[in-house]
Amino acid sequence: DRSGGGAGLAGEGADPILTSFDEQSMRVCVGVRAVVDRALAENTSLIVEGAHLLPPLVPFPDLEGGAYQLMLLLTTLEEEIHRSRFVSRSLTTGRRAQHYLENLDSIRLIQENLLERAERADIPILDTSDSTEVVPRSLRLITGALGQLVPWIGQPVDLRTERRTLLLVIDGLADRPVRALGF
């Protein structure tokens, strides 16, 4: 089992790809936390997305009660669709598809690990393979979660006491090189 599953971050004997990904995630979450703290201090709602927002690093437990933290994992389960997305993205953005295709096994390993962590943390998983359903389904998941957290949503609110919302989206997979891994 190369998934590195377990209760926390990749532990002893974990795959080097997952260990490096976890190290990157810890560093990224330091910056994310600074952005979140500033948004809370300025009473601003915030959406944060990125592959490195992974449980147990987020949601931030000490913010419970001070902000609504909603998490959602966007993923492409079908490998061929995943592969084709890199190719089509290269046509519109200029990102080289070859680099991603050469590392697709590592990307899929990280994705599998993210899926396992999301399931353990009871984070909704949204397969993006059918692009026509992504936005409507995302909105249903988000409004459903907010409806449970904030049953009075839609009612008049005293803006002086309203809590801000923090939406954390684990989006796709990392596409930054990892020098320690040679890619």
Side-chain angles (χ1 to χ4, degrees):
D1 176 25
R2 295 184 57 201
S3 67
L9 297 177
E12 188 176 324
D15 188 288
I17 301 279
L18 297 178
T19 301
S20 293
F21 182 77
D22 284 351
E23 289 173 10
Q24 280 184 327
S25 297
M26 287 187 278
R27 289 183 178 103
V28 167
C29 279
V30 170
V32 168
R33 180 56 193 251
V35 170
V36 168
D37 286 342
R38 182 172 180 173
L40 289 172
E42 295 174 355
N43 200 26
T44 304
S45 292
L46 180 65
I47 295 175
V48 181
E49 66 86 20
H52 290 85
L53 301 174
L54 68 146
L57 302 175
V58 292
F60 302 109
D62 62 312
L63 295 182
E64 289 301 321
Y68 301 113
Q69 301 178 77
L70 307 174
M71 293 194 61
L72 171 65
L73 172 61
L74 302 176
T75 187
T76 303
L77 297 175
E78 296 289 330
E79 186 172 342
E80 285 310 309
I81 293 173
H82 203 171
R83 180 184 312 279
S84 70
R85 292 238 171 108
F86 291 123
V87 174
S88 64
R89 184 174 69 182
S90 71
L91 300 173
T92 59
T93 66
R95 286 180 169 177
R96 284 181 346 149
Q98 191 60 34
H99 169 76
Y100 298 99
L101 297 174
E102 289 170 357
N103 293 288
L104 190 58
D105 287 344
S106 296
I107 292 169
R108 299 289 293 178
L109 173 67
I110 293 169
Q111 175 177 282
E112 188 60 38
N113 185 261
L114 286 171
L115 287 166
E116 289 175 14
R117 290 176 184 203
E119 286 176 9
R120 280 195 307 270
D122 202 25
I123 294 169
I125 298 169
L126 181 59
D127 183 7
T128 63
S129 296
D130 179 2
S131 60
T132 62
E133 266 301 299
V134 173
V135 172
R137 198 150 164 250
S138 296
L139 290 174
R140 283 192 300 272
L141 286 167
I142 291 166
T143 56
L146 276 175
Q148 289 180 345
L149 290 170
V150 192
W152 57 90
I153 201 162
Q155 302 295 319
V157 175
D158 180 352
L159 295 177
R160 294 169 296 177
T161 60
E162 179 185 355
R163 282 190 270 172
R164 294 288 129 192
T165 299
L166 170 61
L167 173 62
L168 302 170
V169 178
I170 307 170
D171 180 20
L173 293 172
D175 56 6
R176 307 309 278 161
V178 181
R179 284 188 212 113
L181 299 175
F183 67 91

